[in-house]
Amino acid sequence: MIPDTITLSHGSGGRLMHELIEELFVTHFSNPELNNLNDSAIVDVTSKGNKVAFTTDSFVVQPIFFPGGDIGKLALCGTINDLSVDGALPLYIAVSFILEEGLPMSTLQRIVVSMAETAKKADVKIVTGDTKVVDKGSCDKLFITTTGIGVFKNDNVPLPDRVKPGDKIIISGYIGDHGIAVLSKREGLQFETSLESDCAPLNALTRKMLDASSNIKWMRDPTRGGIAASLNEVVAGKSFGAVIKESSVPIRDSVRGACEMLGLDPMYVANEGKIVAVVDSDDADKVLNAMRKDEAGVNASVAGEIVEGPEGLVLIETDIGGKRILDMPRGELLPRIC
Amino acid sequence: MIPDTITLSHGSGGRLMHELIEELFVTHFSNPELNNLNDSAIVDVTSKGNKVAFTTDSFVVQPIFFPGGDIGKLALCGTINDLSVDGALPLYIAVSFILEEGLPMSTLQRIVVSMAETAKKADVKIVTGDTKVVDKGSCDKLFITTTGIGVFKNDNVPLPDRVKPGDKIIISGYIGDHGIAVLSKREGLQFETSLESDCAPLNALTRKMLDASSNIKWMRDPTRGGIAASLNEVVAGKSFGAVIKESSVPIRDSVRGACEMLGLDPMYVANEGKIVAVVDSDDADKVLNAMRKDEAGVNASVAGEIVEGPEGLVLIETDIGGKRILDMPRGELLPRIC
C-alpha cells in the first residue's frame, strides 16, 4: 500500500522505496527493460554506424501543473525533442525524481500517469530511474531529470555545416505559448487567458521533415531563450547572418497581448512544442507540406532566411519596415519556465 | 568572465549560461563529443550484440563536501559503479545541475574540478549536460543528476540466474565508511573521527573480477540501505537464503564506534566504493586474489554464503554465535547520504 504522502523513507533504499517503485513506477511505465529493476537497464541500440544521441535535462518548472501540461509531460517532451532535432529516433528514457518530503502522493501519481501517457504517445520507453527524497524545505515540491538515448536509422539527419545564405528559416507554429501559459499561473502574476502550453513530443514531426528532404541543415526546439536564442546559435561566429520577418512569425493575439502587458518580447519566450529549422530554399515547400501533415506542424511557415550579412547577427524586420538586432538574451526573463 | 555568484541568468538559455558552459564546463570536461555543444551528444556505442547499459541517479548529499569526497565525485562514482556491477564498461556520462541562486561560483568550480578528476581517473567522458537555476530557497545549494551509458566488450558479465546455495558472498572492503563520514559532518551531529568516505570509481575492480572468473553470479554497490539492502535483493522471492558471518565483515573500529553511538547497524549504512558479490565457491579464491590487486579491493574477504534456507531471508551470525534476520530496511536511517 502506498501512503498518502512522500516521506524520507521513500528515498532510503528500503522497503518503502521498493514499494513505491513497484506500485507506482513499474505499474505505469511497465516494459521489459524497466521491469528487471537492475541498477542499469540493458537496452538494444542497433543504430547506423554504432552512433547514438544522448541528452539530459533537469526540469524545475513552477507551477508543476500548468494549462496544457505538467512537469512530467514537459520533462519527457524536452528530452524527446532534444534527440529529435539532431535527427535521432528517441527510444529510451531514464527518469530521476527529487521529491520534497510531504509531497502528496496523489501529486506524484498524477505526474507519473501523465509521463506514461506521453511516453506511449511518443513511442519511447522509460527504462530506468531513481528517486531521492529531501527534507521539507530543501526543494520545491519535485524536480525531474530526464535523460534520453536516440538511435539513427538512416542518413536523414540535419547537416549544420551546410547552412548558407539563401536557406529558409521555418518555424513550426505559434510561438511563446509555453512561457506565457506557465506565467499565467505564476503566483502574484495571474491573468486571464485560455492559452495552453504547446508542450508536445515532436519526434513524429521531425521524422516527417527529415524524410521529406535531405537538405534540412539545422533544427532546434526553441525552449529557454526562445526563437531568439536558437537563431543566435545558428549564426554565432559564422560568416552569415539571419533575418526574420516579424509579420511571418506565427504569434497568437493572446501571447502578443500578455507579452505587451508583461514587457516581454515573444521572440525570447520559451516554447516546448515547436521546431525552428534552416532548410535549403529549393526544399522549403516540400518540407512545409510535410510539416503541415503533422498535428504539431499545421501552422508551420517560412519566417525568414539566412543572409550574407551582417555576419553572426540575427535581425528582425518589423511590421513597419524597420530592422533591429535580435541579440542573444542576456538576463533572465522568465525563471523556472522549464 | 564568470561572476562570483550563481544568478538566475545562469539558467536562462542566454549569454550568461553560454559563458558558464564555455568557461567552466567545457574547460574542465573537454572532449570532442561534449565540445560540439549540441542538445544531444553523438557517441559511439560499439558493443556486443548492440546492447548497452543505461543508468541514472540524482545526488542530494548534505553536506556537499565531506571527508574523502564531494557531491560531484559521488555523482560520477555512483553512476560509474551502477554500470560496472552489471558488467558494463562505463563510457559516457550526462550531468545535469540544479543550482540554487546565490551559490558561490567557487563552490561550483571546486565540484566541477573534482568531477573532471574523477572522470579522468575512471576513464569516462562527460559528453552532455544541463544547468537549471532555481530561486534562493527552492533547493539546497545544488543537486546533481548523472546518467551513464556503458558498453559490453565481451561475455564477462554477472549471471544472476545462476546464484545457488554454496556460492560465496564476497565484500570488497571496510563497510559503512561513506555514511559515517558524511554524518560526521552533519550539522548538530559532529563527532571526532579521521574517517573518510570510500567514494571511488569501481570499474577497474569489477573488470578484474569479471576477467578472473566466468562464475561471478551477481554484483552490487551497496549504497542506500547498505549491505543489508543489497543482500536482501539477491534472495527476495528466491528458494534460497544468505548467511553472513559478522566477524568476517570488514568494519573499522571507528565505524563500529560511531554506529554504537548513533544507534545504527553498520550493515545498513551506505557505502560508495564497495562491491558485494556472489561467486561460485570454486572460483572464490581466484576472484579474491584478483580483487586484492586493485586498490579498491585490497581488503576484500569472503563474508558469507548462499544457503538452502530460510528461503528469501538474510541471516547474520553474530560473534557470540547467535543468528538474527537482517531484514530489508524499513524506514529512513540516514537521509541525504547520497
Side-chain angles (χ1 to χ4, degrees):
Chain A
M1 276 300 300
I2 311 191
D4 290 343
T5 309
I6 290 289
T7 62
L8 287 170
S9 297
H10 286 112
S12 70
R15 197 174 296 274
L16 276 173
M17 192 173 96
H18 281 85
E19 283 173 12
L20 183 71
I21 291 170
E22 291 282 357
E23 293 178 31
L24 188 58
F25 300 133
V26 172
T27 301
H28 291 286
F29 299 153
S30 181
N31 59 65
E33 291 87 348
L34 175 71
N35 298 356
N36 277 333
L37 293 182
N38 274 333
D39 279 349
S40 318
I42 309 298
V43 296
D44 187 324
V45 291
T46 305
S47 190
K48 199 172 169 65
N50 292 313
K51 299 283 183 188
V52 304
F54 185 39
T55 190
T56 193
D57 269 299
S58 288
F59 292 85
V60 298
V61 66
Q62 190 269 317
I64 55 177
F65 297 100
F66 48 81
D70 58 75
I71 190 170
K73 181 183 179 188
L74 186 66
L76 273 184
C77 293
T79 291
I80 289 165
N81 296 347
D82 277 353
L83 295 170
S84 301
V85 295
D86 277 345
L89 179 72
L91 284 188
Y92 306 110
I93 309 282
V95 175
S96 195
F97 293 95
I98 298 173
L99 308 175
E100 185 182 17
E101 180 190 15
L103 183 77
M105 191 62 75
S106 57
T107 301
L108 181 60
Q109 269 169 325
R110 200 176 143 195
I111 288 165
V112 164
V113 167
S114 165
M115 295 181 83
E117 286 169 1
T118 306
K120 194 175 170 195
K121 185 180 174 190
D123 200 18
V124 299
K125 288 180 187 174
I126 295 169
V127 293
T128 189
D130 183 45
T131 310
K132 291 290 183 332
V133 182
V134 296
D135 35 304
K136 202 163 173 61
S138 287
C139 87
D140 187 6
K141 296 183 190 74
L142 84 165
F143 301 145
I144 301 178
T145 302
T146 41
T147 308
I149 293 178
V151 298
F152 297 96
K153 287 297 180 193
N154 54 40
D155 287 321
N156 303 358
V157 295
L159 303 159
D161 292 343
R162 298 196 351 214
V163 173
K164 65 173 199 317
D167 289 347
K168 298 297 181 190
I169 296 166
I170 295 178
I171 296 176
S172 65
Y174 291 103
I175 66 161
D177 295 4
H178 175 73
I180 299 301
V182 170
L183 275 189
S184 74
K185 297 297 167 192
R186 199 60 75 73
E187 219 172 308
L189 209 66
Q190 286 167 12
F191 49 89
E192 287 299 319
T193 172
S194 57
L195 198 67
E196 294 206 334
S197 165
D198 57 349
C199 177
L202 298 173
N203 46 335
L205 174 62
T206 56
R207 188 59 30 201
K208 288 189 181 82
M209 294 168 69
L210 290 164
D211 287 347
S213 162
S214 53
N215 285 304
I216 292 178
K217 314 280 184 83
W218 185 92
M219 289 200 284
R220 276 287 186 286
D221 58 327
T223 57
R224 280 182 289 182
I227 297 283
S230 287
L231 288 177
N232 269 283
E233 280 184 49
V234 194
V235 301
K238 294 288 157 50
S239 62
F240 48 77
V243 172
I244 288 289
K245 222 173 154 174
E246 194 168 28
S247 59
S248 302
V249 177
I251 307 180
R252 292 180 208 280
D253 287 342
S254 53
V255 169
R256 206 184 294 274
C259 280
E260 275 171 21
M261 191 178 79
L262 298 165
L264 299 172
D265 181 339
M267 301 298 290
Y268 289 89
V269 176
N271 312 276
E272 293 289 347
K274 293 297 172 314
I275 296 287
V276 52
V278 174
V279 181
D280 194 282
S281 61
D282 289 345
D283 281 10
D285 284 343
K286 208 156 58 172
V287 172
L288 268 184
N289 287 336
M291 292 175 80
R292 288 175 180 155
K293 288 185 182 123
D294 190 277
E295 58 175 326
V298 287
N299 297 305
S301 72
V302 173
E305 66 177 51
I306 302 296
V307 292
E308 299 277 355
E311 293 178 8
L313 289 183
V314 181
L315 298 180
I316 184 159
E317 237 179 71
T318 59
D319 296 355
I320 51 167
K323 275 187 192 171
R324 61 186 167 83
I325 294 173
L326 207 60
D327 206 358
M328 181 64 103
R330 283 176 182 278
E332 176 58 284
L333 299 170
L334 308 169
R336 298 187 63 188
I337 216 73
C338 61
Chain B
M1 277 301 300
I2 311 191
D4 290 344
T5 309
I6 291 289
T7 62
L8 287 170
S9 297
H10 285 112
S12 70
R15 195 173 297 272
L16 276 173
M17 192 173 96
H18 282 85
E19 283 173 12
L20 182 71
I21 291 170
E22 291 282 358
E23 293 178 32
L24 189 59
F25 300 133
V26 172
T27 300
H28 292 287
F29 298 154
S30 183
N31 59 65
E33 291 86 348
L34 174 71
N35 299 356
N36 278 331
L37 293 182
N38 274 333
D39 278 349
S40 318
I42 310 297
V43 297
D44 187 324
V45 290
T46 304
S47 190
K48 200 171 168 67
N50 292 312
K51 298 282 184 190
V52 304
F54 184 40
T55 189
T56 193
D57 269 300
S58 288
F59 292 84
V60 298
V61 65
Q62 191 270 317
I64 56 177
F65 297 100
F66 48 82
D70 58 75
I71 190 170
K73 181 182 179 188
L74 185 66
L76 273 184
C77 293
T79 291
I80 289 165
N81 296 347
D82 277 352
L83 295 170
S84 301
V85 294
D86 277 345
L89 178 71
L91 284 188
Y92 306 110
I93 309 282
V95 175
S96 195
F97 293 96
I98 298 174
L99 309 175
E100 185 182 17
E101 179 188 16
L103 183 77
M105 190 63 74
S106 57
T107 302
L108 182 60
Q109 270 170 323
R110 199 175 144 195
I111 288 164
V112 164
V113 168
S114 164
M115 295 180 84
E117 286 169 2
T118 306
K120 194 176 169 193
K121 184 178 177 193
D123 200 17
V124 300
K125 288 180 188 175
I126 295 169
V127 292
T128 190
D130 183 44
T131 310
K132 290 292 185 324
V133 182
V134 297
D135 35 304
K136 202 163 172 60
S138 287
C139 87
D140 187 6
K141 296 183 191 72
L142 84 165
F143 300 146
I144 301 179
T145 302
T146 41
T147 309
I149 294 178
V151 299
F152 296 97
K153 288 297 179 193
N154 54 40
D155 287 322
N156 303 0
V157 295
L159 303 159
D161 293 343
R162 300 203 339 220
V163 174
K164 64 173 200 317
D167 289 347
K168 298 297 180 190
I169 295 167
I170 295 179
I171 296 177
S172 65
Y174 291 103
I175 67 161
D177 294 3
H178 175 73
I180 300 301
V182 170
L183 276 189
S184 75
K185 297 297 167 190
R186 200 60 75 73
E187 219 171 309
L189 209 66
Q190 286 166 13
F191 49 88
E192 286 300 317
T193 170
S194 57
L195 198 67
E196 295 207 335
S197 165
D198 57 349
C199 178
L202 298 174
N203 45 336
L205 174 63
T206 56
R207 187 62 28 203
K208 288 189 182 83
M209 295 167 70
L210 290 165
D211 287 347
S213 161
S214 53
N215 285 305
I216 292 179
K217 314 281 184 82
W218 184 93
M219 289 199 283
R220 276 288 186 285
D221 58 326
T223 57
R224 279 182 290 182
I227 296 283
S230 287
L231 288 177
N232 270 283
E233 281 184 50
V234 195
V235 301
K238 295 285 157 50
S239 61
F240 48 77
V243 173
I244 289 289
K245 219 172 158 177
E246 195 168 29
S247 58
S248 303
V249 177
I251 307 179
R252 293 181 207 281
D253 287 342
S254 52
V255 170
R256 205 184 296 274
C259 280
E260 274 171 21
M261 191 178 78
L262 298 165
L264 299 173
D265 181 339
M267 299 298 290
Y268 289 89
V269 176
N271 312 275
E272 293 289 345
K274 293 298 171 312
I275 296 287
V276 52
V278 174
V279 181
D280 195 281
S281 61
D282 289 344
D283 281 9
D285 284 341
K286 207 155 59 170
V287 172
L288 267 184
N289 287 336
M291 292 174 80
R292 289 175 179 155
K293 287 186 183 122
D294 189 277
E295 59 174 326
V298 285
N299 297 306
S301 71
V302 173
E305 66 177 52
I306 301 295
V307 292
E308 299 276 355
E311 292 179 9
L313 288 183
V314 181
L315 298 181
I316 185 161
E317 238 179 72
T318 59
D319 296 354
I320 51 166
K323 275 188 192 172
R324 60 186 167 84
I325 294 174
L326 207 58
D327 206 358
M328 180 64 103
R330 284 175 181 280
E332 176 59 284
L333 298 171
L334 308 170
R336 299 187 62 188
I337 216 73
C338 60

